[in-house]
Amino acid sequence: MKIRKLSESESKIELQMTPMIDIVFQLLVFFIMTFKIVPQEGDFEIRMPLMAPSQSSNPESVLPLRIRLTQNPDGSLAGIAVNDQALRDFTELREFVISYMGDVGGPEAGREQVEVEIDADYGLHYEYVVRAITAVSGYRDKATGQIVKLVEKLKFAPPDQPPAQ
Amino acid sequence: MRIRKAGDSSVYEGDLTPMIDMTFQLIAFFMVLINFQQTEQYADVELPISELAQPPEEPLEYPITLNVTRRGTVVFGGRELSTFDQLRPYLVREAQVLRARKKPLSDATIVIRAHKTAKTGYIQELIQVCQDEGFDTFALRAKEQLE
């Protein structure tokens, strides 16, 4: 270790930057390594008070849509039907809902009146239900990037019995 | 600015100030971006993707988060519960907390974070269990679709 002479003490005091820079770079490397872009999460709100299965959660809803989702044995989606009308995919489901809401007086009136009940097979993978909810809840306008809302009142039909093991 | 004398024989020192400034800026940037909320979430659950999934504009008043795993179990407060009967006491306790605060149960939102391959019927049964305990507001959580 270098021993300073007494006469050198008059010169300016130099801070030891090396340890600080070491630790600062350690921190920087830590944060860079742990940084991960996490997609944001969002919610679909469903209001379902306890009631008789046939009762609507909203007495003002006069136009229920019943979406039936059936499953393959492996839990994948086998078919979609709205009020017993078979549809090909979720895009067609969205178009059906847009057209249906147009018939009842436009999106504003439709949001107030239309209620969707989702009736899915017990073993259907949950992601298909979320895709169905997405299709009926709205869509993102490709031109503006804004979300156009469709049906807001959603509920589930009473669950099927689980298949016998 | 200090002007060195021509006869100054000391070693040349690089100016570290801009580098340290920049490094601290970077550290601050990464620290701010760390999402601490993710620590409350159960990493084993892979949420379904939805183009409409957006974070709520204002935080939920009283969220109760239930994670549903692909194995058909519920994770609540870090505990993995394999039957609904194990979950009920926790829901009863949450309801008691709300009643003690003189708030209606409708103020609470049951946030369901279910794995994308979880069985739909299981989630419907979970909703029924929550309804039995008096909860009626639910939020099905999905992950934002990245472009």
Side-chain angles (χ1 to χ4, degrees), chain A residues 24-37:
Chain A
V24 163
F25 273 108
Q26 293 266 8
L27 279 170
L28 186 60
V29 168
F30 168 77
F31 283 116
I32 289 174
M33 299 287 275
T34 56
F35 180 64
K36 193 173 74 173
I37 297 174

Side-chain angles (χ1 to χ4, degrees), chain A residues 82-108:
Chain A
V82 182
N83 292 348
D84 298 327
Q85 179 184 339
L87 301 176
R88 279 196 313 275
D89 53 16
F90 291 109
T91 310
E92 198 174 351
L93 173 62
R94 176 172 299 152
E95 285 162 4
F96 182 93
V97 172
I98 292 169
S99 142
Y100 188 80
M101 290 182 76
D103 292 345
V104 298
E108 291 296 325

Side-chain angles (χ1 to χ4, degrees), chain A residues 40 43 46 48 122 124 157, chain B residues 120 124 131 136 138 141 144:
Chain A
Q40 292 183 311
D43 296 329
I46 294 182
M48 282 181 61
Y122 189 93
L124 181 72
Chain B
T120 302
Q124 288 175 276
Q131 286 176 319
D136 62 4
F138 301 89
R141 192 150 282 186
E144 181 191 25

Side-chain angles (χ1 to χ4, degrees), chain B residues 123-137:
Chain B
I123 291 152
Q124 288 175 276
E125 286 179 335
L126 176 63
I127 288 173
Q128 273 196 335
V129 168
C130 297
Q131 286 176 319
D132 291 343
E133 303 305 332
F135 296 100
D136 62 4
T137 309

Side-chain angles (χ1 to χ4, degrees), chain A residues 14 17 24 28 31 35 40-48 94 122 124 126-127 129 134 140 157, chain B residues 13 20 23 31 41 50-51 54 113 116 118 120-121 123-125 131 136-138 140-142 144:
Chain A
E14 287 185 11
M17 299 299 282
V24 163
L28 186 60
F31 283 116
F35 180 64
Q40 292 183 311
E41 295 181 4
D43 296 329
F44 292 101
E45 290 199 15
I46 294 182
R47 193 168 172 80
M48 282 181 61
R94 176 172 299 152
Y122 189 93
L124 181 72
Y126 173 64
E127 63 178 316
V129 173
T134 304
R140 194 177 285 276
Chain B
E13 290 178 7
I20 293 168
T23 312
M31 283 179 79
Q41 296 165 0
S50 169
E51 63 174 319
Q54 283 190 323
R113 296 185 75 253
K116 62 182 185 180
T120 302
I123 291 152
Q124 288 175 276
E125 286 179 335
Q131 286 176 319
D136 62 4
T137 309
F138 301 89
L140 304 180
R141 192 150 282 186
E144 181 191 25

Side-chain angles (χ1 to χ4, degrees), chain B residues 8 22 27 33 50 75-76 78 80 98 101-102 104 124 135:
Chain B
D8 198 344
M22 188 202 69
I27 287 178
L33 280 187
S50 169
V75 177
F76 177 66
E80 187 161 358
L98 273 163
R101 293 183 187 176
K102 296 191 175 11
Q124 288 175 276
F135 296 100

Side-chain angles (χ1 to χ4, degrees), chain A residues 7-158:
Chain A
S7 61
E8 281 183 3
S9 64
E10 292 172 3
S11 64
K12 66 169 186 176
I13 299 166
E14 287 185 11
L15 292 172
Q16 284 292 319
M17 299 299 282
T18 318
M20 192 191 76
I21 293 170
D22 283 352
I23 203 78
V24 163
F25 273 108
Q26 293 266 8
L27 279 170
L28 186 60
V29 168
F30 168 77
F31 283 116
I32 289 174
M33 299 287 275
T34 56
F35 180 64
K36 193 173 74 173
I37 297 174
V38 181
Q40 292 183 311
E41 295 181 4
D43 296 329
F44 292 101
E45 290 199 15
I46 294 182
R47 193 168 172 80
M48 282 181 61
L50 192 61
M51 61 181 64
S54 60
Q55 194 178 346
S56 169
S57 61
N58 180 16
E60 293 172 7
S61 295
V62 290
L63 298 163
L65 274 177
R66 188 165 181 274
I67 298 176
R68 177 88 182 97
L69 302 172
T70 50
Q71 68 164 105
N72 289 316
D74 64 350
S76 60
L77 184 71
I80 310 168
V82 182
N83 292 348
D84 298 327
Q85 179 184 339
L87 301 176
R88 279 196 313 275
D89 53 16
F90 291 109
T91 310
E92 198 174 351
L93 173 62
R94 176 172 299 152
E95 285 162 4
F96 182 93
V97 172
I98 292 169
S99 142
Y100 188 80
M101 290 182 76
D103 292 345
V104 298
E108 291 296 325
R111 270 202 291 277
E112 293 295 320
Q113 294 181 44
V114 178
E115 183 177 52
V116 166
E117 182 183 67
I118 294 173
D119 180 13
D121 282 349
Y122 189 93
L124 181 72
H125 288 171
Y126 173 64
E127 63 178 316
Y128 298 107
V129 173
V130 170
R131 285 175 66 183
I133 291 174
T134 304
V136 300
S137 296
Y139 60 94
R140 194 177 285 276
D141 191 335
K142 285 179 182 167
T144 62
Q146 298 292 314
I147 290 174
V148 179
K149 288 187 176 176
L150 296 172
V151 178
E152 289 181 342
K153 297 182 174 70
L154 298 166
K155 67 172 186 174
F156 281 107

